Amino acid sequence: MAPRLSPIGWGVVAGAVVGVALGRALGWLELAAAGAALTVVLVLALLMTVGRERYEVELDLADRRVRVGERAVGRLTVRNASRRRSLPARIELPVGAGGADLALPSLAGGAEHDDLFAIPTSHRAVVVVGPVRSVRGDPLGIARRTLRWTDPVELFVHPALVALTGSSAGVLRDLEGQATRDLSDSDLSFHALRDYVAGDDRRYIHWRTTARRGVLMVKQFEDTRRTQTVLALSTDPRDFDDDDEIELGVSTIASIGVQTLREQRDLVVLAGPGRLRVSSPPRLLDDCSAVSVEVGGTGVSGLGRRIAREAPSASVAVLVTGSVPTPADLRAAARHVPVGTRTLVLACSPGAEISVRTQGALSIGTVGALDDLPRVLRRVVG
């Protein structure tokens, strides 16, 4: 990369030009001398950026996935790949919105220098570490030349989780084999007998009843369906009172989602503009790390419609929001969930007492802390 002048450098350029030009035009020797001195300083600064070091740089994170609050460390190794001793340099290591400046000493040919660094993990996030850049320049900061040595690496700071067992998850129970009201001529759940109609499968003729009545009778079944759980998180900031409610909501979605995947059930997670990846718990948690609440996001009032549009065959729906929506708002949101779907609406309000109200296929609960989630789900079942 070509050398670049800093704002100070451009100030030196302006001072040199003005000093030399005006000094000569006005015959002002002192001013011309000052301009010449600035010119010399500028040339020396540019000369200090000349040359190219040969480094081999390795950026290594101990773990690319950590839980919020866990220690995340990395190591930066710089090796002088040339036979000549390198000059001291400065290494820039961007970390998220911030970064670190590391001093690289002079290295003999083939020598290495290691630096260990820690990454803050106090908040759920996707932290971009790197790219590592070496900087050559003058002590005054007039000019600098930057060389990039690595690609950026992502560190996923996952949300906090609470363990859910199959029994405490409650609403996540396997609905496979649970009958619906839709009748079928071939399934697992026997419903009734009816008269034989031309074209019926003879395997389902009930011979004992046929012999007793003298008329062909066939079995009729109720459709069964496999559980599909859909989790939907409000991403409208107006539904949340503060950031703690947002983090509790994301942790709630993540905890239920991970348990659902561990039980090998079908899962859809709606948070933000698209669906989160559900191929494995780590992929789901990676996407949960990046969930954000922003103006224009889907509020709780639109979650039911979104579920009906994107997951119409869901058998269990969990809607998660903050403490701002009223109980009437929560009931109104659930009205748009497809008929026959077991629906749970959770309002996240840190410090609040847990509560659950159930009416028919709808349950509305309040979660005051992440550790309360198993108790809330057990109450839903009870």
Side-chain angles (χ1 to χ4, degrees):
M1 181 180 292
R4 291 187 177 181
L5 295 179
S6 67
I8 296 176
W10 287 112
V12 171
V13 171
V17 172
V18 171
V20 172
L22 288 182
R24 294 187 61 183
L26 301 177
W28 191 350
L29 183 60
E30 292 81 0
L31 184 59
L38 291 177
T39 302
V40 172
V41 170
L42 179 63
V43 171
L44 291 176
L46 291 174
L47 288 176
M48 296 184 71
T49 66
V50 175
R52 179 182 178 87
E53 302 294 351
R54 293 177 58 192
Y55 293 132
E56 292 179 357
V57 181
E58 180 183 0
L59 177 62
D60 180 42
L61 299 183
D63 197 340
R64 296 277 302 277
R65 296 180 172 97
V66 297
R67 192 77 54 82
V68 62
E70 291 181 347
R71 182 176 175 83
V73 295
R75 183 182 67 178
L76 178 65
T77 302
V78 181
R79 178 178 176 271
N80 182 8
S82 69
R83 296 180 180 180
R84 296 178 292 109
R85 174 172 288 275
S86 66
L87 295 174
R90 184 164 56 89
I91 299 294
E92 288 184 347
L93 177 62
V95 179
D101 286 340
L102 307 176
L104 181 65
S106 174
L107 297 176
E112 292 185 353
H113 176 76
D114 287 342
D115 267 310
L116 295 178
F117 58 92
I119 303 173
T121 60
S122 57
H123 299 286
R124 172 186 57 87
V126 179
V127 181
V128 179
V129 182
V132 177
R133 297 186 292 259
S134 64
V135 180
R136 294 191 62 178
D138 63 281
L140 299 178
I142 295 174
R144 56 180 277 167
R145 185 162 65 93
T146 303
L147 295 177
R148 172 172 167 168
W149 296 100
T150 68
D151 293 327
V153 178
E154 289 183 329
L155 171 69
F156 296 95
V157 182
H158 290 169
L161 297 179
V162 64
L164 298 174
T165 63
S167 59
S168 66
V171 295
L172 306 180
R173 66 189 184 281
D174 193 357
L175 297 181
E176 192 171 26
Q178 179 173 335
T180 69
R181 296 182 180 179
D182 300 324
L183 300 183
S184 170
D185 293 330
S186 175
D187 214 303
L188 299 177
S189 181
F190 174 74
H191 173 64
L193 296 174
R194 63 171 176 80
D195 293 337
Y196 176 84
V197 177
D200 285 341
D201 193 332
R202 295 189 177 186
R203 292 179 298 173
Y204 300 113
I205 295 176
H206 197 271
W207 294 108
R208 185 174 299 176
T209 304
T210 297
R212 185 173 68 250
R213 297 187 58 182
V215 179
L216 285 174
M217 302 293 293
V218 296
K219 300 175 184 178
Q220 190 173 43
F221 302 87
E222 292 177 322
D223 279 339
T224 58
R225 59 181 177 180
R226 180 174 175 81
T227 299
Q228 183 188 54
T229 301
V230 57
L231 309 178
L233 174 68
S234 169
T235 53
D236 187 339
R238 293 174 295 182
D239 289 341
F240 299 90
D241 191 49
D242 53 34
D243 290 342
D244 290 340
E245 292 187 2
I246 297 172
E247 294 307 310
L248 180 56
V250 174
S251 293
T252 297
I253 287 288
S255 298
I256 298 176
V258 167
Q259 178 64 27
T260 304
L261 293 177
R262 287 174 177 169
E263 295 181 2
Q264 299 183 344
R265 311 186 195 283
D266 294 337
L267 176 66
V268 175
V269 181
L270 306 176
R275 296 187 179 190
L276 304 191
R277 294 174 296 176
V278 294
S279 56
S280 66
R283 291 294 180 89
L284 172 61
L285 293 176
D286 287 349
D287 286 356
C288 285
S289 298
V291 169
S292 61
V293 172
E294 54 190 18
V295 177
T298 304
V300 67
S301 60
L303 291 183
R305 295 186 181 90
R306 186 175 180 187
I307 291 173
R309 182 174 63 255
E310 299 189 33
S313 60
S315 52
V316 177
V318 181
L319 286 66
V320 180
T321 184
S323 64
V324 176
T326 64
D329 295 332
L330 303 182
R331 289 192 296 269
R335 292 194 189 104
H336 300 284
V337 175
V339 177
T341 301
R342 183 76 170 89
T343 305
L344 170 61
V345 184
L346 295 176
C348 297
S349 179
E353 294 291 331
I354 66 172
S355 64
V356 175
R357 294 184 179 181
T358 300
Q359 183 176 5
L362 171 63
S363 296
I364 297 178
T366 300
V367 180
L370 186 58
D371 290 338
D372 293 339
L373 182 59
R375 296 168 56 198
V376 171
L377 296 179
R378 283 196 296 267
R379 289 195 183 185
V380 172
V381 178

